[in-house]
Amino acid sequence: MSLQTELEITLRTDIEEKNNLLRKNGNVPGILYGINEDSVKIQLLSKGLRKALEQPSIFSQIINLKESDKEFKVLLKDVQVNPANDEPIHVDFQRVSGKTKLTLDVPIKYINEDICVGVKNQGGMLSKNKNDIELTCAADNLPEFIEIDCENIELNSAIMQFSLILPEGVELSQNLFNGQDQPVVACSATRATLDIEEEVEALEGEDGEATDSEAENEDSGESSQESEKQGD
């Protein structure tokens, strides 16, 4: 299940009140829409919204909006910010129910990167190609993140998106299934590793040449001895 964030809201009955005045008083204007209901104008404390926005998964979790004795399950759909100070100035929420089918990007959480076999024992380097993955599920099954364990990734191997282990009731979006399988995280050789391999190959080549040369000298010496015996 996704992390639960709660925010207190107030329905805006005085629609003539200017948005700038709301912001001056520490509030953020917004709109609540969805599920065959009319859109309603709301406001909430800027302080609470800013704290919620600090969560990396805030756009991929179900948020509980509370208004008096009412409660709404919503997704955060859009936040407008002031480019001068990054303060939120308007917010959009979409109503959902527990069975609402969602398709959205969910963050990826990588673990055990420091003990990855391909890095720690084989001199490779991890390349994380995705920070999130597009999933489809019911709102009640929405995960906060998808965890990927990097411990057993070997050099020159990868974890592909089609092979991800997903929670029950969660699947890759149809958009991803319709495309080609892509690596989510891969372990490849570093420049230093390649240089070492080239040096080893060069040394092995030199050793081989030296061995061939010694063999030729031995053959030449034997031939010379045989020639001297024949002369005697």
Side-chain angles (χ1 to χ4, degrees):
M1 279 293 296
S2 179
L3 184 69
Q4 290 292 305
T5 295
E6 293 186 351
L7 293 171
E8 296 281 348
I9 65 169
T10 302
L11 299 183
R12 292 179 61 186
T13 55
D14 184 6
I15 59 176
E16 298 299 325
E17 186 176 5
K18 301 296 184 181
N19 286 341
N20 287 340
L21 182 58
L22 280 176
R23 299 183 186 110
K24 185 177 180 180
N25 291 328
N27 294 301
V28 178
I31 190 166
L32 175 61
Y33 63 90
I35 311 187
N36 301 320
E37 294 187 34
D38 293 336
S39 298
V40 293
K41 292 185 177 182
I42 62 171
Q43 66 185 58
L44 66 162
L45 289 175
S46 177
K47 181 180 179 180
L49 179 59
R50 287 200 310 270
K51 185 176 181 180
L53 292 174
E54 292 174 0
Q55 301 176 41
S57 61
I58 191 61
F59 281 94
S60 59
Q61 63 171 273
I62 302 302
I63 299 171
N64 288 330
L65 295 185
K66 290 188 174 183
E67 192 272 321
S68 298
D69 57 345
K70 297 180 181 178
E71 190 170 306
F72 308 94
K73 286 187 176 183
V74 301
L75 283 173
L76 177 60
K77 297 302 292 184
D78 186 55
V79 178
Q80 298 176 31
V81 298
N82 185 332
N85 56 19
D86 288 334
E87 289 289 320
I89 57 176
H90 193 275
V91 62
D92 292 0
F93 293 106
Q94 177 189 350
R95 288 190 187 98
V96 297
S97 70
K99 296 182 179 180
T100 302
K101 197 86 170 203
L102 304 174
T103 295
L104 72 170
D105 291 330
V106 173
I108 293 174
K109 180 181 180 181
Y110 295 95
I111 64 170
N112 292 328
E113 297 176 60
D114 55 332
I115 57 174
C116 172
V117 171
V119 175
K120 188 174 181 180
N121 300 335
Q122 299 169 337
M125 176 181 64
L126 278 178
S127 298
K128 295 179 286 187
N129 301 317
K130 288 179 175 287
N131 293 319
D132 48 51
I133 188 90
E134 190 176 68
L135 303 176
T136 297
C137 63
D140 279 346
N141 294 330
L142 182 63
E144 180 184 352
F145 55 81
I146 296 301
E147 185 175 274
I148 296 181
D149 192 343
C150 300
E151 180 177 359
N152 296 317
I153 303 177
E154 297 187 349
L155 186 65
N156 297 324
S157 64
I159 294 178
M160 307 298 287
Q161 61 186 16
F162 287 177
S163 64
L164 289 177
I165 299 174
L166 301 174
E168 184 177 356
V170 180
E171 59 186 19
L172 295 178
S173 71
Q174 198 60 47
N175 290 333
L176 294 184
F177 272 128
N178 289 341
Q180 292 185 339
D181 198 7
Q182 299 290 333
V184 179
V185 56
C187 184
S188 56
T190 63
R191 181 66 255 177
T193 302
L194 293 174
D195 289 343
I196 291 173
E197 290 177 352
E198 290 173 359
E199 290 177 7
V200 170
E201 290 175 358
L203 289 173
E204 289 176 348
E206 292 175 1
D207 290 343
E209 292 177 0
T211 302
D212 292 341
S213 178
E214 290 174 0
E216 290 177 359
N217 291 336
E218 288 178 1
D219 292 340
S220 177
E222 291 174 358
S223 298
S224 177
Q225 289 177 2
E226 290 178 359
S227 297
E228 289 177 357
K229 289 179 181 178
Q230 291 176 358
D232 292 341

